[in-house]
Amino acid sequence: MDILKRIAEQREREEKLKWEGTFRDYLEMVRERPELAQTAHSRVYNMIADAGIEKDDNGNPRYLFFSRELFGLDRAIEQLVEEYFHSAARRLDVRKRILLLMGPVSGGKSTIVTMLKRGLEEYSRTDAGALYAIKGCPMQEEPLHLVPHSMRREVEEQLGIRIEGNLCPACRIRLKEEFGGRIEDVPVERVLLSEDDRTGIGTFSPSDPKSQDIADLTGSIDFATITEYGSESDPRAYRFDGELNKANRGLMEFQEMLKCDEKFLWNLLSLTQEGNFKAGRFALISADELIVAHTNEAEYKSFISNQKNEALQSRIIVMPIPYNLEVSEEEKIYGKLVKESDLGHVHLAPHSLYAAAIFSILTRLKESKKQGMDLVKKMRLYDGKSVDGYKEADLEELRNEHLDEGMSGIDPRYVINRISSAMIRTEANCLNALDILRAIKDGLDQHPSITKEERERYLNFISIARKEYDELAKKEVQKAFVYSYEESAKTLMDNYLDNVEAYCNWTKIKDPLTGEELDPDEKLMRSIEEQIGISENAKKAFREEILIRISAYARKGKKFDYNSHERLREAIQKKLFADLKDVVKITTSTKTPDENQLKKINEVTATLIDKYGYCSTCANDLLRYVGSLLNR
C-alpha cells in the first residue's frame, strides 16, 4: 500500500465534499431534500438506523452501529435507541432532556459516547448526513434561521419542514452590517463535523470549581477587540467558542456531569427545555444539540438525594448501562482488547478467555428466588443455552427479577489487566484457561475495593469457572479422539432415527445383513436418551418430537441432519464420548505409551491443532490435564 498516495486520495475526497453557495441556493436544496433541515437528534437517530437493524429470532432489534464495538449490551442499546433517540428524532419532549448514561465503571458508557461522536463525523461526510451552515458562523448556524419569524409558518408549509431557533448574535449583526438585511445573499457552506476542529462536537470535563470559568461552556469576551468595538455587548467583541457554542448542530459530551459545580449545571436548564442558553450580555442563544452525560450509580444517588437538584432532575433521561451478562459476549470483549495490544505473539488456548468470562459473569449475577435456579443455570440461560425445565418465559422472568442486575461485580478492565499480566510473564508464549484463572485469583488480594466476604465469593466463582472449563476440556479431547467424528455421529444418529421411526409407527426394522425383521432396539435408544436425562416416562414424547421435527423439515424441503436438533446432537455426542472414555483415559495417562497409543496421541494432537485452534504446547498440556481429570 502506498501510504502517501492513499493520504492524497483521502484529501481529494474531503475537497470534493466542500460546497458553497447562497441562502437562495440552500433554499432550493431544502425544497428538493427537506431532510436537510433535520434536527441534531434526528441526525443521530438516522445515523444509527442507516447503519442497519437486524432482528433476532424473538423479533428484538440489534443495531449494527453499536454491535461492532459493544458486546452483550443489546437490551440496553435497544432501550437507549427506542426510548431516547427515536423519540427525540420525532420531536417528542424527550429531546428536551439531557441523556445521562448511568452504570458501573468500564461498562461501556464512554465507548457509546465515543462511537456517537466518531459516527457523526463520518455521517456528516455522507449524502444522508450532510448539513449546511451560514459561512463564517462560529456556531455553524442553521441557515433557515435567517427566515423572519413572521414568514416561518408559510415557509414551513411550503417546504414541509420545521424551523426552530433564532440567529446567533454574531450572524444577526453580520446580516445587518454586511448584507443589509438581504438574507438571500448570505453565504452558506457544507459543514463537516469534527471533534478535533470543535465543529459540531464538543466535550466538557469538570475541573477545580475555583479555577473553572463558565466561559468554558458559553464563550467569553475578546479583550483584544473590545477597544475596537467599544462595548462588551457587541457580538464582534465576543468569542462564541464555549463547548455549547461549538457543539451546536451536533453533540456535546458532558463528562462526569454530576461532579460539576452547580452553577455550570444551571446553564443546562433553559438549553434542555427551551433550546437556548444565556451568554454574557446577549439575548438567549439558540442551540440544537444533543447533550450526553455519564456517571456512576453512587454519584447519581447522591445527586437525586439533594433537593436543590430537583429542577435539573426533571430534565434528565437516565439510561442504565449495566455490565454485559452473557459469557460468549464477554469473551468477545476480552478478545477485542487482547487484539488491540502488542502481545499478539502470545497464543491463547481455546476456551481460556471463555473461562475468564464465566468468572466475570458469575460475579455480576444476582441469586434468583425461582425454585431450582442457581447462578450457573442462570448464566447458561442468559448466554442462550438450553437448560432442562426452563423456557423463554422463564428467561424474561429472571431478567425482570432484579432490575439492577449487572450494575455491580467484576469489571472487564480488572480481568483484562490480569490477562495482560499473565501474558507478560509467560515464558512459553502460550496461555491456557488455568493460567488465566490463576492470574485472576492472584490479583484478588491486590484489588482495592474487594471485601473479605466478596473475596470468598469470588474464589468460589473461580472454582466454578474451572469446573466448567474441565467439562469443556474433556469434550474437546473426546471429540478429537473420535476418528471421523462427523461420520461416526451421523451413523449413530441414522441408526437411532430408524429405530425411533419404527417405534412410533409400530413397525419392524429390517436387518441390512440378514434381511430379518427385528423389533426397535430399545437398549440403543435408551443408551442415547439417558445421556441427556430423558426419563422412561418422557421417552415417548421425546421420540415423537423428533419425528415431528423431521416432518417439518421435509415439508420445507430441508434435510434433517446432525445439527438440526440441539438436544439430540448433545445426546449423540455424549454417547460417543461415553463409549470412548476408557480409551481416552488409558491413552492420555500412560507414561510409556506403546506404538498404537503413541500413534493415537499424535493423531489427537494433530486434530487439536488443525481443527480446534490449539498450538503444540497447549494441545499437549490439554491432553495431560484431561488425563489427570479422568483418572481422579
Side-chain angles (χ1 to χ4, degrees):
M1 180 180 72
D2 188 334
I3 297 175
L4 295 179
K5 182 181 178 182
R6 293 291 298 274
I7 292 173
E9 290 172 352
Q10 172 68 19
R11 186 167 58 247
E12 288 177 12
R13 284 195 294 270
E14 292 279 308
E15 285 295 321
K16 287 179 181 178
L17 291 174
K18 290 182 179 179
W19 180 91
E20 286 189 21
T22 63
F23 178 69
R24 186 193 302 271
D25 301 323
Y26 178 66
L27 208 57
E28 288 305 312
M29 291 170 63
V30 173
R31 192 187 305 276
E32 295 176 8
R33 296 177 57 200
E35 66 272 14
L36 290 177
Q38 65 185 325
T39 64
H41 290 82
S42 177
R43 186 172 290 104
V44 170
Y45 174 73
N46 289 332
M47 169 188 73
I48 295 169
D50 288 354
I53 306 173
E54 293 179 347
K55 298 278 187 178
D56 64 16
D57 294 338
N58 299 314
N60 299 314
R62 182 168 172 264
Y63 296 93
L64 301 184
F65 178 85
F66 293 104
S67 64
R68 299 184 187 97
E69 294 286 332
L70 294 169
F71 305 104
L73 293 180
D74 288 348
R75 290 167 63 84
I77 293 297
E78 178 187 351
Q79 183 183 11
L80 174 64
V81 174
E82 292 302 318
E83 293 187 16
Y84 186 80
F85 290 128
H86 195 180
S87 300
R90 298 295 180 90
R91 296 180 187 268
L92 293 174
D93 215 44
V94 295
R95 73 189 175 105
K96 298 178 180 179
R97 307 286 184 271
I98 298 166
L99 174 62
L100 179 63
L101 305 179
M102 188 263 292
V105 296
S106 191
K109 304 184 297 296
S110 298
T111 303
I112 289 174
V113 181
T114 299
M115 292 183 71
L116 290 173
K117 292 195 290 189
R118 296 289 174 269
L120 277 174
E121 289 183 343
E122 294 176 15
Y123 195 59
S124 70
R125 287 159 170 76
T126 66
D127 289 339
L131 72 154
Y132 298 81
I134 296 174
K135 186 177 180 180
C137 175
M139 293 179 58
Q140 49 278 343
E141 183 89 43
E142 165 61 68
L144 292 172
H145 290 176
L146 290 163
V147 177
H149 281 273
S150 59
M151 293 180 58
R152 285 192 178 181
R153 180 171 294 181
E154 181 184 347
V155 172
E156 287 175 347
E157 290 176 357
Q158 192 177 113
L159 299 181
I161 59 171
R162 291 274 297 277
I163 305 174
E164 297 177 348
N166 302 313
L167 280 177
C168 73
C171 288
R172 185 179 296 278
I173 198 167
R174 283 184 63 209
L175 177 62
K176 181 181 177 180
E177 298 289 336
E178 290 184 40
F179 304 103
R182 291 179 57 81
I183 64 173
E184 63 269 30
D185 294 337
V186 175
V188 175
E189 64 179 351
R190 182 171 180 179
V191 174
L192 304 179
L193 300 186
S194 168
E195 183 177 18
D196 292 338
D197 296 334
R198 298 183 73 223
T199 305
I201 298 176
T203 303
F204 182 81
S205 182
S207 60
D208 184 0
K210 294 179 181 178
S211 61
Q212 191 152 37
D213 191 348
I214 197 68
D216 294 342
L217 277 178
T218 60
S220 61
I221 296 169
D222 186 353
F223 290 101
T225 59
I226 198 168
T227 54
E228 180 183 348
Y229 297 109
S231 171
E232 293 182 4
S233 61
D234 191 311
R236 291 166 295 185
Y238 195 85
R239 292 176 178 168
F240 295 91
D241 60 356
E243 295 303 326
L244 292 179
N245 306 102
K246 291 301 182 180
N248 188 37
R249 311 290 301 285
L251 176 151
M252 190 191 88
E253 177 187 8
F254 210 130
Q255 295 180 348
E256 302 297 341
M257 185 182 81
L258 303 186
K259 290 180 180 175
C260 200
D261 189 68
E262 287 181 3
K263 66 179 181 180
F264 287 93
L265 301 182
W266 293 339
N267 283 274
L268 303 179
L269 294 177
S270 64
L271 176 62
T272 52
Q273 192 62 38
E274 307 298 335
N276 50 46
F277 63 91
K278 191 77 173 71
R281 293 170 172 81
F282 301 108
L284 290 169
I285 299 174
S286 297
D288 170 31
E289 57 194 80
L290 170 66
I291 307 291
V292 186
H294 41 86
T295 189
N296 59 48
E297 193 173 13
E299 285 175 352
Y300 178 70
K301 287 180 178 178
S302 175
F303 172 75
I304 61 176
S305 66
N306 187 347
Q307 292 185 348
K308 291 182 180 180
N309 298 323
E310 284 184 4
L312 192 58
Q313 285 177 39
S314 65
R315 290 170 169 85
I316 292 176
I317 293 284
V318 181
M319 285 291 167
I321 307 294
Y323 285 135
N324 158 57
L325 296 176
E326 299 174 26
V327 175
S328 53
E329 295 297 301
E330 189 77 6
E331 184 182 17
K332 291 177 186 177
I333 295 173
Y334 301 150
K336 171 193 165 188
L337 295 173
V338 169
K339 283 180 182 177
E340 291 173 353
S341 72
D342 291 329
L343 293 168
H345 64 284
V346 179
H347 179 254
L348 289 173
H351 312 303
S352 51
L353 297 181
Y354 190 79
I358 289 174
F359 164 74
S360 298
I361 300 302
L362 287 173
T363 68
R364 301 169 190 169
L365 297 179
K366 292 184 179 292
E367 294 283 354
S368 173
K369 295 177 182 177
K370 201 172 183 65
Q371 188 174 4
M373 177 60 63
D374 58 31
L375 288 184
V376 174
K377 289 179 182 176
K378 191 177 190 180
M379 175 189 74
R380 289 174 181 161
L381 281 171
Y382 277 11
D383 203 33
K385 293 182 171 57
S386 60
V387 175
D388 286 346
Y390 297 97
K391 300 178 181 177
E392 188 69 28
D394 296 305
L395 180 58
E396 283 304 309
E397 189 179 328
L398 286 171
R399 282 175 171 157
N400 295 326
E401 191 175 11
H402 299 286
L403 297 180
D404 63 340
E405 191 168 50
M407 300 299 279
S408 61
I410 287 290
D411 64 280
R413 199 172 289 149
Y414 166 77
V415 175
I416 201 65
N417 286 347
R418 299 311 305 161
I419 292 172
S420 301
S421 176
M423 292 175 78
I424 288 289
R425 293 178 181 178
T426 184
E427 296 177 357
N429 283 339
C430 180
L431 282 181
N432 58 40
L434 301 180
D435 296 325
I436 289 176
L437 290 177
R438 194 178 301 114
I440 291 173
K441 180 181 178 181
D442 292 343
L444 291 179
D445 290 332
Q446 304 167 21
H447 202 294
S449 62
I450 292 179
T451 64
K452 185 178 180 181
E453 292 74 17
E454 284 177 327
R455 185 178 183 278
E456 292 303 315
R457 284 181 63 243
Y458 291 171
L459 287 174
N460 181 49
F461 293 148
I462 289 174
S463 298
I464 294 173
R466 177 167 178 171
K467 288 177 183 175
E468 292 290 304
Y469 170 70
D470 288 351
E471 292 303 311
L472 284 171
K474 284 189 282 187
K475 283 184 180 180
E476 202 89 314
V477 171
Q478 289 166 335
K479 276 196 293 184
F481 260 88
V482 178
Y483 178 74
S484 302
Y485 175 65
E486 292 294 335
E487 288 77 5
S488 302
K490 184 179 182 302
T491 301
L492 182 58
M493 190 189 76
D494 289 343
N495 196 1
Y496 173 78
L497 293 178
D498 288 342
N499 281 276
V500 164
E501 187 175 2
Y503 170 85
C504 291
N505 295 329
W506 298 84
T507 57
K508 301 274 187 179
I509 287 183
K510 192 172 184 179
D511 189 296
L513 295 177
T514 65
E516 181 184 2
E517 292 203 336
L518 306 170
D519 290 327
D521 191 341
E522 184 67 21
K523 185 177 180 181
L524 170 71
M525 290 186 288
R526 291 302 295 142
S527 69
I528 292 171
E529 293 158 355
E530 285 171 351
Q531 301 295 327
I532 53 172
I534 302 295
S535 66
E536 185 70 26
N537 293 332
K539 68 181 184 182
K540 186 173 185 292
F542 180 75
R543 294 169 187 177
E544 289 173 347
E545 178 198 330
I546 298 292
L547 277 191
I548 291 171
R549 180 75 64 90
I550 293 172
S551 300
Y553 269 63
R555 283 198 306 273
K556 295 176 183 177
K558 295 165 65 178
K559 184 181 179 182
F560 186 90
D561 61 22
Y562 174 65
N563 293 307
S564 299
H565 194 287
E566 188 174 337
R567 295 193 71 206
L568 178 58
R569 184 181 68 223
E570 182 186 354
I572 296 291
Q573 286 178 352
K574 286 187 173 181
K575 171 60 178 167
L576 283 172
F577 297 161
D579 293 345
L580 282 164
K581 185 173 182 179
D582 289 337
V583 178
V584 174
K585 188 190 299 185
I586 293 168
T587 308
T588 56
S589 60
T590 303
K591 292 182 179 179
T592 54
D594 59 31
E595 186 178 341
N596 289 333
Q597 290 171 339
L598 189 60
K599 181 182 177 182
K600 194 66 180 175
I601 289 174
N602 290 335
E603 287 177 358
V604 172
T605 303
T607 302
L608 289 170
I609 294 170
D610 296 340
K611 291 188 176 181
Y612 301 118
Y614 289 82
C615 68
S616 58
T617 301
C618 57
N620 286 310
D621 287 344
L622 178 71
L623 286 173
R624 283 193 295 271
Y625 181 64
V626 170
S628 68
L629 289 177
L630 295 176
N631 279 302
R632 287 177 187 173

